[in-house]
Amino acid sequence: MEWLRLPPSIVALVACFAFAQAQYPPPASYQNILTSPLNPNVTVSYKQPPAGTCSTAFPTQKQYTGYIGIPPYTLAPIQQNYSINTFFWFVEARQVPETAPLTIWLNGGPGSSSMVGLFNEAGPCEVVQMSDGTYGTQPRMWGWDRSSNVLFIDQPNQVGFSYDVATNGSLNLYTGEIMEPATPLSDGMPDYMYMNGTFGSANSNQQVPFATTANTTDIAAAATWHFLQTWLAAFPQYNPATRPNSTARYANNLPVGVNLFAESYGGKYGPVFARHFEEQNQLRSNGSIPSNSTLAIEVETVGIINGYVDDLVQNAAYPYFAYNNSYGVQAVSQTDELNMINAFVGEGQCRDQIVQCRAAMNSTDPEGYGDVDATNDLCLQAQLTCLSVSGPVLSAGYDPYDIRQMLPSPDPPAAYQEYLNNASVLAAIGAQVNYTESSPYVQTGFITTGDTIRGGQVEDLAYLLSQGIRVALIYGDADFICNWFGGELVSLAIAAQLNSTASTLVAPASTTVPLTYASAFPAAGYADIIVNSTYVGGQVRQFGNLSFSRIYNSGHFVPYFQPETAFTVFTRIIQGSDVGSGDIVDLSTHSTTGPPNSTWEVDAPYKAPEPTCWVRAWNATCNDDDTEAMLAGDGLMMNGIFYQKPNARTLPSSSVTAGVPGHPVSSSSSAETGSPAMSDGSTTGLTGVYTATNTPTPTSSAAAPGKLGEPLRWRTGPIAAVMLGLVVGVGIMV
C-alpha cells in the first residue's frame, strides 16, 4: 500500500498535440465480435495476438485478448449509469489446456492493472530490451501457465486497458494527471513527459473523476461476476463445467471450477469476489435468479499474495515488523515503535475508529455499495487516522514493498509499460486505449468510501473454508506494507472463526476428538517449503484447506522476487497437495509438523541494485537529482529511460533476441518433446512441479529474482510517491 501522491508509475502512454508526443492506439480490429450466449446486450470482442506479442514456452499455446462490453444498468440495483469495457488476456497452459485448471489473476491497487502480474510476475512472458534499445518478449521459465490456463483481468473499469468511453486527452507523466480534451504542453515540461493519447473518461477535469467505475470492492465483485458469466460462456473449451466427466458441488447448475489468485489489495478483492460468486450460486439454486441464463462459478481455491486483508488485524503488526524483522532493518527507533503501537490501540485512535466505521456500515450500508455519505465519511476518517500507524517507516524513506531497500524503488521493472504502449503491440492485442499501470481516479473512488477499512474479509474467507474451498495465504517476508507478521495474524483470525461443528474436519482414525480449524490450525507446525533438491524457499503452516506460507528473500511481488518458489507453492495449492513437499495428502486430515513459529533469519546482507529511471514510473523510480535535471532540460531520454548523463546509456549485447508482434523468438525445437530452445539454449525444464524427496538446508541462493535470458537487469517498481498518502490518505497496493 503506497501512501502519498498517486504514482506517476501508474500513468501510461499516449498521443499527439502541439509540442506533445503522440501515441494514440491504432484502430482496433478483432477476429471475433459476438454477443454473449447468456445476455444479448453484452458484447465479446477478441482476437489471437500475433506470435511474438507475448512469447510462450511452446508455440502451440493459444492466447486471446479483448474486451467484454457491459451496457449501463446491468449491475442493478447498483447505480451503474456507464458502460463497462473490461480487458482480458488469456493464455493456455503449456500442457493439455483442454483439461488444465483455470486460474484467474487479479492485481490490487485499488486501481492497478493485472498486466503487472502478467508481465512482471506470473505470466507466460517477460519484456526484455534488445540490442537496438527496443523491447520484445521472451518466455518466462516459471510462468503459471506451466500448470494452469490463466486469465488476467483489468478491473474495475478505468484500470489498465479497461474503459467506459474511449476519450482523447493529455497525460502528464510527472504529476499523473489526465486532462480531457488534450491540452498544450505545460511550461517547463519536456515533451517526453507530456503525452497525448486515448483513455477512459475519468480525468482531472471532472468534479467526480471516479464516477464511471466501482468505488467499493462489493461493486467490483458484481461487475466481475457479470464479466465471468460472459467470458466462461464465450470460451466453453476452458470452462471446467463443460468438460466430460466433470463433477461439482452444484449438480445440474453448470458449475465452473476456478482458482482465484489476487495480490496486495487483492486481499480485499479475493475474499469478497469469491463469496459473491458463492452467493450468486445459491440464488441460482433457489430460483432467485434464472439458472438458464446464468452460470454457477464454483471457486476451488482463493489464493492471496501479500494481501491487505483486514486493517483491524494487520495494522497491529506494523510497529513490530518495522523494528524487529528478519532482515535486521530497524526502520524506526524504539520510541517510534511505541508511538506506532499507541497510534493503533490508543483511545479514539485507529482501532477504535475502524470499529466505529464497521458498526456504521453494518447498519446503514450492509451491501457495501458506498452510497451513504455519513458512513463513507466515517470510514474515510478512520483510514486517514490509521496512516499514522505505518507513517514513520514511510517518512524514513524505506521502500514499503521491500524493507531491505530505500526509495526510489528498484523492483520490479517498468520496461513492460514501454512495450505495451508500442503501436504494434496495441494493434496486436486490440487495445482501445493506451496502457496505464494504475488509475488514480479508481483509487480516489475507493478512498472516498473508506473501502479498505470496511472489513469482512476474514469472515468471508472463513465462510469459504466452511464450503470446502481452499484458502491459501502467501507472503514475501521482506514486504513491509503487507508484511508476513500481519499475514500470519490473518491466518489465525480466519481459523478462529471456525470453531463450530459445521466447520469440523474429519478426525484421523487414531483420534476420537473432532478437529476444527480454530484448534488444529494454530497447533500445526511450520514445515519447510522444499522448492528443489537444493533450496528451501520458505515455511508453511497448513491444516486442511487452510495454509499460510512465508516466502524467504521476497518483497511484495512474490512471483517476481522468487519465481520458482512462487510457482511451486501455487501449483501445489491448486493441486490440493502438501504445500511444503508436494506430496499427495488427504486434506481432510492433513496437518504440517514442525516448530510452532517461523524464526528463520537472513544470513547475509541484501545489496539492492541501482534503480533505473523510467519516465512512465517517474515518481517511483527516479531520484531528486533526476527530477532536477529533467525540469532543467538536461539529460537524455531514450527508450523510456532517463539518463542524467547521456554517455551513461548502455544497451544489451547483440546476442539478445526477443519476440515482437508477428515475429516470434527464433527457436529450435526438440523433435522428441517439441520444446523450444530458450535464450540460454535449454530445451528442458519447462513443465512440471517438484515433489520433494529430501529436505535440503535453507540457503540464500534465491536472494534475487530469477530472470530468464535478461542480459540487462532493471530493478524498478510501481510504488507510489509514498509521502502524499500521509497527507491525503491514499493507498495503492499493486
Side-chain angles (χ1 to χ4, degrees), residues 545-579:
N545 280 326
L546 178 61
S547 65
F548 169 78
S549 299
R550 172 198 175 185
I551 309 301
Y552 299 152
N553 293 303
S554 177
H556 189 76
F557 308 96
V558 177
Y560 167 75
F561 282 98
Q562 297 297 342
E564 184 177 0
T565 301
F567 163 78
T568 302
V569 169
F570 159 72
T571 302
R572 291 171 180 172
I573 289 167
I574 66 172
Q575 290 179 348
S577 59
D578 180 279
V579 175

Side-chain angles (χ1 to χ4, degrees), residues 131 144 160 255 298 336 372 449 489 574:
S131 57
W144 288 9
E298 180 185 341
D336 285 333
V372 180
T449 63
L489 292 175
I574 66 172

Side-chain angles (χ1 to χ4, degrees), residues 176-254:
E177 294 180 311
I178 296 173
M179 306 297 291
E180 296 168 353
T183 57
L185 179 66
S186 299
D187 292 340
M189 187 68 63
D191 61 355
Y192 58 79
M193 293 294 291
Y194 198 81
M195 301 181 178
N196 295 331
T198 305
F199 314 91
S201 68
N203 66 88
S204 298
N205 307 58
Q206 296 177 334
Q207 185 176 2
V208 183
F210 50 85
T212 58
T213 184
N215 61 359
T216 71
T217 297
D218 288 280
I219 295 175
T224 300
W225 182 83
H226 280 277
F227 167 91
L228 288 173
Q229 291 293 295
T230 295
W231 194 93
L232 291 163
F235 294 92
Q237 66 271 37
Y238 306 114
N239 181 339
T242 64
R243 296 171 179 166
N245 302 319
S246 63
T247 59
R249 289 174 283 130
Y250 298 97
N252 304 317
N253 278 342
L254 288 178

Side-chain angles (χ1 to χ4, degrees), residues 49 129 162 176 255 284 312 350 404 460 565 601 629 634 690 710:
Q129 190 175 36
S162 297
R284 292 181 73 257
L312 194 60
C350 175
R404 302 171 297 179
D460 290 341
T565 301
E601 294 186 1
D634 298 331
Y690 182 77
E710 184 179 352

